[in-house]
Amino acid sequence: MNKNETSLVEGLRSGRTKAFHLAVTRYSASMLATARAIAGHANADDIVQDVWLTVFERIDSFEGRSSLKTWLQRIVANRAISYLRSRPPEVSRPGVEEDQSASDWFDASGSWILPPPVWHEDSPYALLAAEDLQDCIDKHLLDMPDSQRNVLVLRDIQQMNFAEICNELSLSASNARVLLHRGRMRLMKMVNHFEETGSC
Amino acid sequence: MLTCQEVTAKASLMVDGELGFRERIAVRIHLMMCVNCRRFARQFQALVSSMASRNRLAAETIVPEFVDGVMQSIYRARESSSIPPGRDGE
């Protein structure tokens, strides 16, 4: 932890209102992004608000072995995943298990049947700036099987390492990598479709 | 020589920097010769990078009303807990 963060944690432990206001302002947006990606927009606010109450009550359990932000993100991810697991079956959205091997892109010799479509923009920030595309990615994230989405969110959005992800989700490293690649390929197919048709 | 299908199957290992030395060389040689796989690899990398940037972008756009709502919840929790008011000296 850097000096600023140490000071902030001391403020939280002392129950200072200013410290909580600063922490909520500083970290809520990324916490909401995680919660939205895992549990959907409709549930994210409640999950993050609930996490802040937990933090208020249990800040003493923060041992400082990771950054405060990482600790908060872990709590949010766990809470969002718990929420998904607690949903009744009729509400559950397990996602459609599709073949994400992209085998339909290749001929029997493993060569491209058709060249991959040329995207209008292929820089990360140009992709981010395309609001319709980002909305479409949100939709597809929620339609993914929970297992794929959880790994994808923790790895690609939260930038957690594989050891942390495997620990959080009780997965083997090889299983996590397979799920991550399937999730990414699912999004690649979605973006290809979006670029070709202009629709989600 | 890797096929295009094999290269795409290694795309995640590639962007995560987890290819072994021999695999990395094999992929690089293939990419030098295959325009389709170069395009795929560039777009795959852009997509993965954009996901990471989502979080950074979100961090700049917190809604003040959300902060106020959380703070109200904390005030209520403080009132109903054993933590005495004024603990923060404010």
Side-chain angles (χ1 to χ4, degrees):
Chain A
M1 284 194 298
N2 60 36
K3 193 176 174 182
N4 282 345
E5 194 172 279
T6 303
S7 170
L8 178 58
V9 171
E10 283 173 6
L12 295 175
R13 287 192 170 128
S14 302
R16 293 192 192 108
T17 303
K18 277 185 181 174
F20 271 96
H21 194 275
L22 177 60
V24 172
T25 304
R26 182 180 292 175
Y27 299 117
S28 287
S30 58
M31 292 163 72
L32 282 167
T34 300
R36 283 172 186 153
I38 296 175
H41 278 250
N43 309 298
D45 285 14
D46 287 347
I47 289 170
V48 173
Q49 184 150 332
D50 193 42
V51 166
W52 278 118
L53 286 176
T54 301
V55 171
F56 172 70
E57 291 162 359
R58 299 181 57 189
I59 184 63
D60 287 340
S61 66
F62 175 63
E63 297 174 351
R65 287 186 292 191
S66 62
S67 70
L68 180 62
K69 181 178 179 181
T70 299
W71 185 67
L72 292 169
Q73 292 291 4
R74 279 186 194 154
I75 299 175
V76 170
N78 280 334
R79 196 64 58 89
I81 291 166
S82 296
Y83 167 79
L84 287 180
R85 287 176 178 157
S86 70
R87 289 176 306 180
E90 62 272 21
V91 183
S92 179
R93 301 178 61 178
V96 180
E97 280 290 359
E98 296 169 355
D99 177 18
Q100 298 303 322
S101 65
S103 57
D104 53 332
W105 289 349
F106 304 99
D107 62 22
S109 69
S111 298
W112 293 91
I113 296 171
L114 293 171
V118 178
W119 294 359
H120 296 96
E121 303 284 354
D122 62 7
S123 79
Y125 288 97
L127 292 175
L128 267 179
E131 289 185 13
D132 289 350
L133 175 61
Q134 292 302 313
D135 289 345
C136 191
I137 288 176
D138 281 341
K139 177 182 177 298
H140 279 260
L141 276 173
L142 287 176
D143 285 343
M144 269 185 196
D146 294 346
S147 56
Q148 280 180 25
R149 180 179 57 250
N150 294 342
V151 176
L152 189 79
V153 168
L154 296 184
R155 176 65 185 167
D156 284 350
I157 298 182
Q158 293 310 327
Q159 302 284 290
M160 287 171 67
N161 64 42
F162 274 107
E164 291 174 317
I165 293 168
C166 293
N167 190 37
E168 294 291 339
L169 302 177
S170 302
L171 292 172
S172 68
S174 59
N175 197 5
R177 286 185 174 88
V178 168
L179 290 168
L180 176 65
H181 187 64
R182 285 181 182 169
R184 287 169 170 172
M185 290 300 284
R186 180 184 287 262
L187 289 186
M188 279 297 288
K189 288 187 167 186
M190 179 233 99
V191 178
N192 281 346
H193 176 78
F194 186 89
E195 292 286 340
E196 287 179 318
T197 67
S199 63
C200 187
Chain B
M1 177 74 182
L2 293 173
T3 66
C4 299
Q5 189 169 8
E6 287 169 335
V7 169
T8 59
K10 294 178 189 299
S12 283
L13 294 174
M14 196 162 50
V15 300
D16 290 328
E18 295 189 336
L19 283 178
F21 178 74
R22 283 172 182 269
E23 282 184 313
R24 198 163 64 245
I25 297 298
V27 168
R28 281 184 184 173
I29 290 171
H30 183 102
L31 291 179
M32 279 193 290
M33 296 187 294
C34 179
V35 65
N36 288 337
C37 285
R38 272 205 305 280
R39 181 187 301 159
F40 171 85
R42 185 174 66 248
Q43 293 173 342
F44 190 87
Q45 175 71 68
L47 178 62
V48 172
S49 299
S50 76
M51 298 298 283
S53 301
R54 272 178 154 228
N55 201 21
R56 287 195 285 275
L57 194 70
E60 298 164 5
T61 54
I62 183 63
V63 179
E65 288 78 8
F66 179 81
V67 176
D68 292 342
V70 172
M71 292 307 296
Q72 290 300 324
S73 298
I74 290 175
Y75 294 145
R76 282 195 295 274
R78 171 179 284 175
E79 284 169 7
S80 62
S81 74
S82 58
I83 300 167
R87 181 185 175 190
D88 56 3
E90 292 175 63

